[in-house]
Amino acid sequence: QSVLTQPPSVSGAPGQRVTISCTGSSSNIGARFDVHWYRQLPGTAPKLLIYGNNNRPSGVPDRFSASKSGTSASLAITGLQAEDEADYYCQSYDSSLTAWVFGGGTELTVL
Amino acid sequence: QVQLEQSGPGLVKPSQTLSLTCAISGDRVSSNSAAWNWIRQSPSRGLEWLGRAEYRSKWSNDYALSVKSRITINPDTSRNQFSLQLKSVTPEDTAVYYCARGLYINSYYYFDYWGQGTPVTVSS
């Protein structure tokens, strides 16, 4: 069981907005450690999508945004496109484990 | 552009040592603004950070508690690469292993470049 909890799957129609939640605790997100998001296509390595809570690396469209509040964070994708189908992971640091930790991942399906 | 190229065997026998190497191009293993990580992924454990090596006037390591007694991550400055050794493996260590650069920017620390992944099976 992952330290950060994500819904196993979400779905949405093209053009819609979807959000993916990431729930932690007082030893990670709640302790104000930053949250980062990654996207993974089948058979490939995870790729950085959002860093430092809501910063996009070069090349990531502004349809992707993220936020953090309390012990949770969320990723929002607007204007959903077929190419957005992938697995999405949140990541933070846990002070109790003294380790960088990941969510269990959320599979996004574009209907 | 940073690239990480992994190499190593895909099959390891139980009780033996898993050894992987990650060759770096576009950055230095002795960089003052990065750390060099190993992360694995399996259906049962998801994405699991294993450890890292970084250079800040001297080399240091951090390891996940789950593997701390079995893991070693070593830099090789002459070849600009770093390695993972995981001793006494069991079938539970079967996973896809990734190397990744951890970057320090503006108080953030995140994994911005990843290797291609090496599927490792522990089986006799």
Side-chain angles (χ1 to χ4, degrees):
Chain A
Q1 188 145 356
S2 299
V3 174
L4 305 178
T5 301
Q6 298 179 235
S9 63
V10 298
S11 62
Q16 282 190 335
R17 177 181 186 269
V18 296
T19 61
I20 297 172
S21 61
C22 174
T23 303
S25 68
S26 59
S27 61
N28 42 68
I29 299 175
R32 299 187 178 182
F33 290 109
D34 297 312
V35 178
H36 316 293
W37 292 88
Y38 302 83
R39 166 179 165 160
Q40 185 178 33
L41 296 172
T44 69
K47 187 173 180 180
L48 181 67
L49 184 68
I50 297 275
Y51 67 92
N53 307 314
N54 193 24
N55 298 283
R56 287 173 284 107
S58 173
V60 175
D62 59 7
R63 301 187 296 106
F64 295 87
S65 64
S67 62
K68 187 180 82 161
S69 178
T71 58
S72 295
S74 66
L75 174 71
I77 309 171
T78 59
L80 207 56
Q81 300 178 5
E83 65 200 46
D84 297 333
E85 281 203 343
D87 292 329
Y88 292 83
Y89 295 88
C90 58
Q91 177 252 310
S92 186
Y93 180 80
D94 191 284
S95 58
S96 294
L97 299 172
T98 58
W100 284 270
V101 294
F102 292 87
T106 299
E107 181 182 17
L108 169 63
T109 301
V110 180
L111 301 171
Chain B
Q1 179 78 352
V2 175
Q3 290 188 322
L4 304 176
E5 183 71 27
Q6 299 178 218
S7 59
L11 181 63
V12 184
K13 289 182 167 48
S15 80
Q16 293 193 341
T17 298
L18 182 161
S19 296
L20 297 173
T21 299
C22 183
I24 305 163
S25 57
D27 198 356
R28 296 173 295 115
V29 70
S30 56
S31 167
N32 283 322
S33 60
W36 304 96
N37 300 260
W38 287 97
I39 296 164
R40 67 183 178 184
Q41 184 175 29
S42 66
S44 59
R45 303 171 76 99
L47 282 164
E48 181 184 16
W49 174 81
L50 299 176
R52 68 175 188 168
E54 67 174 0
Y55 184 76
R56 300 290 182 272
S57 303
K58 65 177 182 178
W59 288 102
S60 66
N61 294 100
D62 296 296
Y63 297 130
L65 296 174
S66 60
V67 295
K68 193 168 187 175
S69 63
R70 301 191 291 131
I71 190 173
T72 303
I73 296 176
N74 279 326
D76 182 342
T77 55
S78 64
R79 298 181 180 183
N80 202 34
Q81 63 187 30
F82 63 108
S83 63
L84 166 70
Q85 288 196 314
L86 188 65
K87 300 184 299 185
S88 306
V89 296
T90 72
E92 285 215 347
D93 294 310
T94 294
V96 178
Y97 286 75
Y98 295 100
C99 60
R101 185 177 82 163
L103 185 67
Y104 290 95
I105 292 287
N106 297 335
S107 81
Y108 304 135
Y109 178 79
Y110 50 88
F111 307 114
D112 64 340
Y113 287 98
W114 297 62
Q116 79 275 24
T118 301
V120 176
T121 300
V122 178
S123 174
S124 54

